[in-house]
Amino acid sequence: RLSSSSSFNNLLSNIIDNNGYGIDLIGNSANNTLSGGMINNSRSDAIYFGTDTIENNIFSNVSIMNTNNSRYDIYFAASGIDGNYFIDMPHIGNYSFTGTGGTVYFKDTKYGEIRFLQAINGSGTNLSNDVRILNNSVSVNSFGKPGLNRSANITLYNIGNRFNNPIILRDKKPCGNLCYNFTALNAANVTFNVSYWTSHEIGGGSIPYIILNKPDNQSVFYIDIFNITLNATVYDLDNDNLSLLIYGVNSSNTGNFYNYLLYKDTKGNG
């Protein structure tokens, strides 16, 4: 147990088995590092954060297994527990961040890092799935979990010159003013800020992004009038020439359908 005076400890490859709490952080426990090892068969919480003075602790590559199903792998019992780091954790299942929660950082040393700038809160059954860091991809499952939908700084490793005219993508679409970068987007490690979630990556290439704004995207509608209004937004990541063609479909009494060109426009340089 790390007591109120437990700070600046470095605990390596511990096997913590069949205890009440696996790790019980209380008092002013801060700036501790727990690396490797295993927390197994915890009858209560595997890692318990008891007070708001528990800050800047690092948990790296710690296997958490067989925690009591009614308890948590990670439990923040108070608000304002800030700056704690989870690095290369194999799996974190049940979790709870009490009240307004705390600022938490996640890192995969191969792929990248998410540093939440605001406190995250709420609970769930699979933190490893709700906060994911993959090759050129980070995602937070904020659907139904508004406490995770917080601003963050993201770093993606080993991006370099993968893309021509790179751009930050949010849910496969240009992020626009919801994101801004601190580094060049073709830097070896790219760092940028996001305002909201769910998924972000660096993209590029020659495939344009087309959003039909009016009527609703992907809707099918039938008209018998001469004047209609369409509004579309087209993004091209390579700034190539674009041609926008809009087709209509007309049916005959025989049941055959015919396409005919309604509109054509070509723009240079995106």
Side-chain angles (χ1 to χ4, degrees):
R1 175 175 181 151
L2 298 181
S3 66
S4 60
S5 60
S6 292
S7 296
F8 298 99
N9 296 289
N10 194 5
L11 308 177
L12 302 176
S13 302
N14 287 269
I15 305 299
I16 303 170
D17 188 45
N18 200 30
N19 287 341
Y21 292 103
I23 295 291
D24 180 7
L25 297 166
I26 62 172
N28 295 315
S29 296
N31 299 294
N32 298 289
T33 298
L34 183 68
S35 298
M38 176 177 64
I39 303 174
N40 187 39
N41 286 316
S42 299
R43 296 189 300 276
S44 189
D45 306 306
I47 304 178
Y48 174 84
F49 297 77
T51 64
D52 61 6
T53 53
I54 298 169
E55 297 180 340
N56 304 321
N57 296 285
I58 296 173
F59 299 86
S60 178
N61 194 28
V62 179
S63 295
I64 303 175
M65 299 182 295
N66 303 312
T67 304
N68 185 331
N69 288 333
S70 66
R71 301 304 301 171
Y72 303 99
D73 287 350
I74 301 292
Y75 182 48
F76 282 32
S79 300
I81 300 173
D82 295 324
N84 293 285
Y85 231 128
F86 297 97
I87 302 173
D88 293 336
M89 297 293 285
H91 179 74
I92 302 174
N94 285 354
Y95 66 92
S96 180
F97 302 105
T98 296
T100 58
T103 57
V104 184
Y105 309 141
F106 299 89
K107 178 189 282 189
D108 183 300
T109 54
K110 184 176 181 181
Y111 294 132
E113 178 178 1
I114 298 172
R115 295 174 64 93
F116 283 100
L117 303 178
Q118 300 168 297
I120 60 174
N121 64 0
S123 60
T125 59
N126 191 336
L127 185 58
S128 293
N129 185 66
D130 288 344
V131 179
R132 304 183 70 184
I133 304 172
L134 302 173
N135 184 14
N136 185 32
S137 173
V138 290
S139 64
V140 171
N141 179 19
S142 59
F143 181 76
K145 299 179 176 68
L148 298 181
N149 200 14
R150 301 291 188 252
S151 175
N153 288 344
I154 294 168
T155 299
L156 296 174
Y157 299 157
N158 302 311
I159 300 301
N161 294 312
R162 292 193 197 185
F163 306 101
N164 294 323
N165 300 306
I167 190 173
I168 302 171
L169 300 178
R170 179 179 185 268
D171 297 336
K172 303 296 183 180
K173 300 173 184 177
C175 193
N177 59 10
L178 293 177
C179 308
Y180 59 88
N181 51 299
F182 300 106
T183 66
L185 296 181
N186 60 357
N189 298 327
V190 175
T191 300
F192 57 96
N193 172 269
V194 302
S195 300
Y196 305 102
W197 292 91
T198 54
S199 68
H200 295 83
E201 63 191 277
I202 304 299
S206 60
I207 300 175
Y209 293 82
I210 302 173
I211 302 172
L212 183 60
N213 302 313
K214 183 180 180 180
D216 292 338
N217 198 16
Q218 298 183 2
S219 64
V220 177
F221 61 100
Y222 301 91
I223 59 172
D224 56 4
I225 59 177
F226 293 101
N227 297 313
I228 61 173
T229 299
L230 296 174
N231 181 278
T233 303
V234 181
Y235 301 93
D236 178 66
L237 305 182
D238 281 347
N239 293 320
D240 295 327
N241 291 342
L242 294 173
S243 293
L244 177 63
L245 289 79
I246 300 176
Y247 284 93
V249 179
N250 191 20
S251 62
S252 68
N253 293 331
T254 61
N256 295 319
F257 289 84
Y258 303 94
N259 291 328
Y260 55 95
L261 184 63
L262 290 173
Y263 176 83
K264 179 179 179 180
D265 190 19
T266 299
K267 298 292 185 182
N269 299 321

